[in-house]
Amino acid sequence: MTMKKIHANLLTFAAGVALSCGAAAQAWPVKPVRVVSTFGSGSPADALMRLVGQKLGEPLGQPVVIDVQAGAGGLLGAQTAVRAAPDGHTLLYTISTTLVTTPHLVKNRAVEMKDFAPVITMARAFTCMLAAVSFPPNNVRELIEYAKANPGKVAYGSNGIGGTYHLEMEMIKQKHRVDITHVPYKGGTDGLQAAAAGTIPIAFAPCSSVVPQARAGKVKFMAVLEHKRAADYPDIAAMGEQLPDYEKISGGVDIWAPAGVPAPVLRRLHEEIDKALGQPDVQALMKKIGFPYDGTALDDMAVQRRKDFELAGRAVKIAGLKAE
């Protein structure tokens, strides 16, 4: 076979692949789109997805069905979604930790990030470090100095062993060589309530939950867990301002598709969800529940979550956690 013939065959093959992908995108969706959600019914994240799902129905020409499968740190829903055909008719809606931190904490990984393709990060969740009003330090630098002067006498509350709050604080402790006791709570705001009651000096919680307590004088802000100040909370110093060596495991509300979904379908999904997120009533809901809009590009989301995964793996080792 001549080189010209080989080249012609390759061009024909490439054209066929392009036409096939284009046809797949045009044909999709041909049935209702199922969104497997790992958020509990009635939760703020559930309300957001249901509203976005309603918005998607018209441009897609098919209804969007929310299938709630909460539990097991998001793995229950992820296992369901990963078994679906990679045709764009089944999506996974979950907190980023499901594929970023949870795989490091289980021995037999039923699902991993490589099993999914990114669609969009719908929203970010700003987290704040807070303190009881009676606690002497007023910022993170003062906290570190106080902890060094009082080893083992300071405690912090997190949203559970292996949670993002726990992992980030353990990295801070290692870098600054401080002895601060970890107290895991079951819920994301339990530590906040404990700090407000004065039973624990330091805790972490969504900033939107901390604001009312801070305004009431029950707790005080120490930092927002970002490298730079958040536009939504300009008066709260960023952790990165106070600790230049701070490393953040990014958090967010993500949508993924099973690996293998055609690229044109992924792009269409991303574009339509992004449009829905920009509508006034959706924006109003996101502001109300404290979920700032993100809309990260497909490629950027993939890169960021891979970085988060690697950082979480290192943090798990620092925290001395073992996969179970």
Side-chain angles (χ1 to χ4, degrees):
M1 185 180 291
T2 66
M3 288 301 296
K4 285 186 177 180
K5 184 68 173 177
I6 293 173
H7 183 64
N9 287 343
L10 287 173
L11 288 175
T12 301
F13 174 75
V17 170
L19 287 171
S20 176
C21 289
Q26 290 175 2
W28 176 89
V30 296
K31 59 182 179 180
V33 175
R34 176 193 185 196
V35 178
V36 180
S37 171
T38 66
F39 299 97
S41 297
S43 66
D46 177 64
L48 174 60
M49 188 65 246
R50 291 184 187 279
L51 180 56
V52 170
Q54 292 173 13
K55 303 292 184 183
L56 291 174
E58 183 175 347
L60 295 184
Q62 292 285 348
V64 174
V65 180
I66 312 302
D67 179 5
V68 174
Q69 295 195 23
L75 289 181
L76 182 64
Q79 289 173 14
T80 297
V82 80
R83 290 193 293 265
D87 57 9
H89 291 95
T90 299
L91 305 174
L92 173 66
Y93 175 60
T94 190
I95 193 74
S96 56
T97 52
T98 300
L99 299 179
V100 167
T101 59
T102 303
H104 294 292
L105 301 171
V106 294
K107 281 186 177 180
N108 300 315
R109 296 181 180 179
V111 292
E112 296 188 58
M113 195 179 296
K114 64 180 178 61
D115 298 322
F116 292 90
V119 175
I120 193 170
T121 294
M122 286 176 45
R124 300 179 65 189
F126 288 119
T127 299
C128 282
M129 176 190 281
L130 59 113
V133 292
S134 60
F135 190 52
N138 291 307
N139 57 56
V140 182
R141 296 299 313 180
E142 290 180 5
L143 164 62
I144 290 173
E145 294 304 316
Y146 185 87
K148 286 182 177 179
N150 299 274
K153 296 181 180 180
V154 179
Y156 76 95
S158 79
N159 57 340
I161 295 174
T164 304
Y165 309 163
H166 176 211
L167 297 180
E168 289 199 8
M169 190 61 178
E170 292 303 309
M171 287 193 290
I172 291 173
K173 285 169 54 179
Q174 186 206 46
K175 287 181 180 180
H176 296 274
R177 299 179 182 179
V178 290
D179 180 9
I180 302 177
T181 303
H182 175 222
V183 179
Y185 289 93
K186 292 183 178 180
T189 59
D190 289 353
L192 167 61
Q193 301 305 323
T199 57
I200 196 164
I202 295 292
F204 297 86
C207 295
S208 57
S209 299
V210 182
V211 169
Q213 298 279 23
R215 286 176 177 169
K218 295 182 178 180
V219 297
K220 57 186 177 183
F221 287 108
M222 299 291 276
V224 59
L225 301 190
E226 297 289 331
H227 291 290
K228 298 179 180 179
R229 294 202 182 204
D232 294 49
Y233 304 99
D235 297 329
I236 307 173
M239 186 68 79
E241 286 181 69
Q242 304 180 63
L243 304 178
D245 57 359
Y246 169 63
E247 292 184 280
K248 176 177 176 57
I249 302 172
S250 299
V253 179
D254 294 343
I255 291 185
W256 301 80
V261 171
V265 173
L266 292 175
R267 284 195 296 271
R268 174 91 188 281
L269 274 166
H270 178 92
E271 291 168 0
E272 296 297 349
I273 295 171
D274 196 44
K275 289 177 185 176
L277 290 170
Q279 295 190 29
D281 54 343
V282 178
Q283 288 283 302
L285 175 61
M286 295 176 80
K287 184 175 182 179
K288 179 181 178 181
I289 63 179
F291 280 10
Y293 167 73
D294 192 293
T296 304
L298 280 172
D299 292 342
D300 292 342
M301 176 182 169
V303 171
Q304 183 60 58
R305 289 294 174 253
R306 176 52 57 183
K307 288 181 179 178
D308 294 333
F309 178 81
E310 292 172 356
L311 180 57
R314 182 152 53 87
V316 165
K317 292 180 180 178
I318 290 172
L321 301 179
K322 303 294 183 182
E324 297 180 357

